[in-house]
Amino acid sequence: MLQTKDQQWLHDVIGRLTAKMEWVSEKSRHKIPYTTVDGTHDDRAAHNPSGDLADGINWWTNGFWGGMMWLMHHETGREAYKTIAAISEEMLDRCFEEFYGLHHDVGFMWLPTSVANYRVTKNPVSRRRSLHAANLLAGRFNMAGGFIRAWNDLEEGDTRGWAIIDCMLNIPLLYWASEETGDPRFKQIAMKHADTAMDAFVRPDGSVNHIVEFDPEHGGVVRTYGGQGYEEGSSWTRGQAWGLYGYMMSYTHTRKDEYLQTAKRIAHYFIANMPEDGVIPVDFRQPAEPKLEDDTAAVVAACGLIEIAKVVGAYEQRLYLDAAVKLLRVVDERCDWTQASDAIVQRGSASYHNKVHHQPIIYGDYYFMEAIFKLKGNDLYLW
Ligand code: GLY
């Protein structure tokens, strides 16, 4: 699948990944990292920086560390990775007890941890956790609007009608639950959400909205928001990547052709907007200055592009693969492979209007790793 010139590079990156993860996994074995402080992983299981219910142990990124461990276990066969993955999976049980901090991101949290564990080991406790999380997600479905509610806020703003494009990565938990139990309800909800989002989020040019507000009582779009992008109507790049990869996931689980066509449409928009140097901005429609970048958008998009390449003909395949390899090579050049940082991908941006930019964020490392193993043809599909 890879061009000869890229094969040596891929081999070298995998060498760097395995060397770095061997010591980082031990150093951070009892943590659930989100970012780094002076090069050292922080720990969202132990600290809640904002005091918000959805932060701390309930933080939406808390599944990625476990997911990295499962990917590394699959690649290397090293038992230690499995043990470390189980530590974070068990820590997440606190979220079920607390409950109030949980929202639609239960897919991001339990697919790469308990579903991954169950897929690999058939551990019944992991199955129970995964089905519990899937039921929480299904319970967020709004019947009138045909969408899954994103967040829980009522006091700081009424989000009863809000859905976000990122949810396309949560609904594979529902596909998994139907595949596992034979009960079609979960898949029905997932597909209804994906269908609603196709109309409401994906614009004619292939770009996507981040947030859409529906009327929670009667359905129908009320308005859109710029969310983590520059402004309403702009094009937050990680959101484009969530849409691209997310629709590909829905296609993988259902084989509904419209999902593949939607993933391709978003991919074409993404590729057409990739700057010459391959460095992805935080928003494709942001002002020229400041030059804010987000390598996490690049690696999520690369995963989706590689998945599209797997299901199209040989001629089409090149377009998607070449774009994915370009994105990953650029990110690789900007990674930290030394012991100065516990993180690999260094230039992530959580959102355009955040104060902090160009920082390591755990999903940068997770999706970089996933994309690299996909290129090798040895990925453990956790979605
Ligand atoms: N799912 C939230 C984000 O991508 O930052």
Side-chain angles (χ1 to χ4, degrees):
M1 183 146 114
L2 266 193
Q3 304 214 50
T4 323
K5 67 180 173 57
D6 296 318
Q7 280 165 2
Q8 186 59 46
W9 162 75
L10 182 67
H11 179 267
D12 294 347
V13 183
I14 291 173
R16 290 195 284 275
L17 263 178
T18 42
K20 180 142 184 174
M21 286 315 299
E22 208 166 307
W23 64 264
V24 173
S25 60
E26 290 303 334
K27 189 174 169 204
S28 301
R29 83 185 266 132
H30 294 290
K31 294 180 180 178
I32 305 187
Y34 168 69
T35 184
T36 57
V37 178
D38 299 327
T40 298
H41 270 152
D42 68 346
D43 182 7
R44 284 286 157 134
H47 299 289
N48 183 331
S50 68
D52 199 90
L53 278 176
D55 206 341
I57 191 64
N58 296 309
W59 186 233
W60 75 277
T61 66
N62 284 353
F64 290 115
W65 174 248
M68 286 165 63
M69 297 302 112
W70 284 112
L71 293 182
M72 289 310 302
H73 174 260
H74 187 67
E75 171 65 16
T76 64
R78 224 172 131 241
E79 282 298 298
Y81 287 123
K82 212 161 128 183
T83 311
I84 300 168
I87 296 173
S88 71
E89 182 185 337
E90 277 167 34
M91 285 200 271
L92 290 181
D93 282 351
R94 237 169 68 209
C95 308
F96 291 139
E97 284 160 34
E98 293 185 11
F99 175 69
Y100 290 114
L102 292 177
H103 46 73
H104 74 147
D105 282 334
V106 292
F108 276 118
M109 295 168 77
W110 277 280
L111 277 163
T113 52
S114 61
V115 179
N117 190 343
Y118 179 67
R119 280 184 164 130
V120 177
T121 68
K122 294 284 170 250
N123 172 1
V125 180
S126 295
R127 182 181 191 270
R128 191 183 65 207
R129 288 181 178 122
S130 308
L131 287 175
H132 190 141
N135 276 279
L136 291 176
L137 184 56
R140 302 186 70 81
F141 185 66
N142 180 303
M143 295 269 287
F147 67 91
I148 291 173
R149 180 181 175 185
W151 300 310
N152 299 334
D153 314 296
L154 263 181
E155 279 158 22
E156 288 168 17
D158 180 356
T159 61
R160 287 174 304 162
W162 284 31
I164 69 173
I165 191 66
D166 323 28
C167 193
M168 292 305 298
L169 284 272
N170 287 317
I171 61 175
L173 180 62
L174 301 176
Y175 294 127
W176 170 83
S178 278
E179 286 151 14
E180 177 59 27
T181 62
D183 183 337
R185 289 174 305 145
F186 302 100
K187 180 179 174 182
Q188 287 162 358
I189 290 173
M191 290 183 77
K192 186 67 196 163
H193 177 86
D195 292 345
T196 304
M198 239 176 349
D199 291 336
F201 284 79
V202 187
R203 306 176 185 132
D205 66 356
S207 67
V208 300
N209 290 304
H210 182 202
I211 301 173
V212 175
E213 179 177 352
F214 298 90
D215 179 333
E217 298 287 355
H218 307 104
V221 174
V222 175
R223 58 163 294 191
T224 65
Y225 296 86
Q228 285 162 248
Y230 174 60
E231 64 180 5
E232 188 179 359
S234 72
S235 174
W236 176 48
T237 53
R238 198 164 59 255
Q240 316 308 294
W242 292 141
L244 192 174
Y245 194 15
Y247 272 99
M248 204 46 216
M249 289 172 181
S250 275
Y251 175 70
T252 302
H253 285 280
T254 65
R255 295 286 148 185
K256 181 168 167 168
D257 189 58
E258 273 173 279
Y259 297 157
L260 174 61
Q261 298 313 323
T262 302
K264 285 168 83 170
R265 192 143 57 92
I266 304 171
H268 298 162
Y269 169 84
F270 197 99
I271 293 169
N273 281 278
M274 271 170 64
E276 200 49 39
D277 63 5
V279 175
I280 301 303
V282 177
D283 193 309
F284 281 131
R285 295 175 188 162
Q286 71 190 26
E289 295 294 337
K291 203 173 175 313
L292 301 182
E293 301 162 359
D294 184 14
D295 281 353
T296 72
V299 294
V300 175
C303 287
L305 292 166
I306 299 167
E307 288 298 321
I308 297 177
K310 288 182 187 170
V311 300
V312 296
Y315 180 69
E316 254 190 287
Q317 200 175 70
R318 271 279 57 89
L319 169 75
Y320 302 109
L321 267 188
D322 288 352
V325 169
K326 178 165 181 173
L327 289 168
L328 294 169
R329 274 181 169 272
V330 169
V331 172
D332 174 35
E333 277 164 23
R334 295 141 60 89
C335 283
D336 187 325
W337 296 109
T338 73
Q339 302 225 350
S341 175
D342 293 347
I344 298 167
V345 175
Q346 297 293 314
R347 294 179 75 80
S349 289
S351 71
Y352 184 87
H353 295 289
N354 224 26
K355 288 196 189 82
V356 183
H357 288 279
H358 309 157
Q359 60 167 173
I361 314 180
I362 194 72
Y363 43 82
D365 285 10
Y366 173 84
Y367 286 105
F368 181 72
M369 193 180 277
E370 187 184 299
I372 291 296
F373 293 146
K374 275 186 202 304
L375 281 183
K376 187 185 171 190
N378 186 35
D379 62 308
L380 176 68
Y381 191 73
L382 300 183
W383 305 96

